[in-house]
Amino acid sequence: MKVKVNTVFGDGDAGFVRMEADDDDDMYHVYNILEEGDTLEAETVRMVTTESATGARDKNRVHTRLLIEVVKIEYDAEQCALRVKGKNIRENEHVRLGQFHTIELEKGRPFTIRKPHWDTIRLDILRELENPMSNAEVAVLVMQEGLANLCLIRATMTKTCAVISRSIPPKALREHAIQQFFADIYAAVLLHINFEQIKVILVGSPGFLNDQFMTYFQQRVVQEERTDLTKLENRQKFVKVHASTGYKGAVEEVLSDPAIAERLQNVRAVKDIQCLKRFEEMLMTDPDRACYGFQVVQYAAYQDAIDVLMLSDALFFDDFKQRRVLDALVAYVKSHGGEVLRFSQMHSSGEKLMSLTGIAAILRYPFPDIDLLAETDALKTST
């Protein structure tokens, strides 16, 4: 994401941001920033009907620049497309004041978002966009004999780039089929992975299949004189790990491996997965230091007990009042030394967190009977 102009200085400020999306991940970030009541200025296409002196009507698509007040936001996860419907608040020759129009934001086209109030969550997203490390990518290749999944792990989503499937016969024809299987994976890696952007490529399998594939891969790049892939810096990006299967579900298993935690410490999605795994383990082994559900987590926060607060970004698309309550909770936890992690609903970790109400916390110290104490406190407050 290119943030060209930023006039927002702090929480609660009004201001505008002019930006330009570079990739699909950026579109999801913008989806999280925009809300009803914001204004959006961008280039768009409008179908305009003109009438000649003889009364003949003609319809034409014209390019124009509109300033709209946002009333509806639609995000297509499959196409990574963002459509924003709004009311025109600046009349021009093609669109009257008050008319409705839908702008489809596109990569490579600048747009401006203006808000009367930038809250803590949206400011955090904006800071992430201004930090190039937030877009660091990880590729995960998991395989078993005859099946492989190649995925890109980005800040806000897991994208399946290729599913490779090939029947592996027994005995005499087996070795030839394995080589063909590796050739299919090799082609998928070259097609979908940009080695200039990628941080690390995790290659996982049961047994020694990943070793065999990496031997095949290195032989191919030497045979084809791929000097870009024989560079030490690119060879070192490949890391062999254990995976129980070649199905997509093994991707999270690979990313939660503590052995690679240091290598992936700057990758937000991986940090989320590892933190959620820690939370789930704590629920089993030390339940007094883990809690979930808004009422309980809020109580823990105001007792200064939260070490890590985990929130699904899905919670911030509900009503305005809830967003303000969550924003205040996030600001309070941060101001008292707690860490706040915002989980993307487009990742499996975000889906898991939503199954736990979308909000959870790891506590600084054991807090026995916190559920009962939070409920009692809520009853006192209501009376």
Side-chain angles (χ1 to χ4, degrees), residues 7-28:
T7 68
V8 186
F9 298 104
D11 185 18
D13 286 355
F16 70 88
V17 176
R18 184 168 175 77
M19 55 181 70
E20 181 182 317
D22 291 326
D23 51 45
D24 295 340
D25 218 32
D26 291 340
M27 286 299 179
Y28 186 72

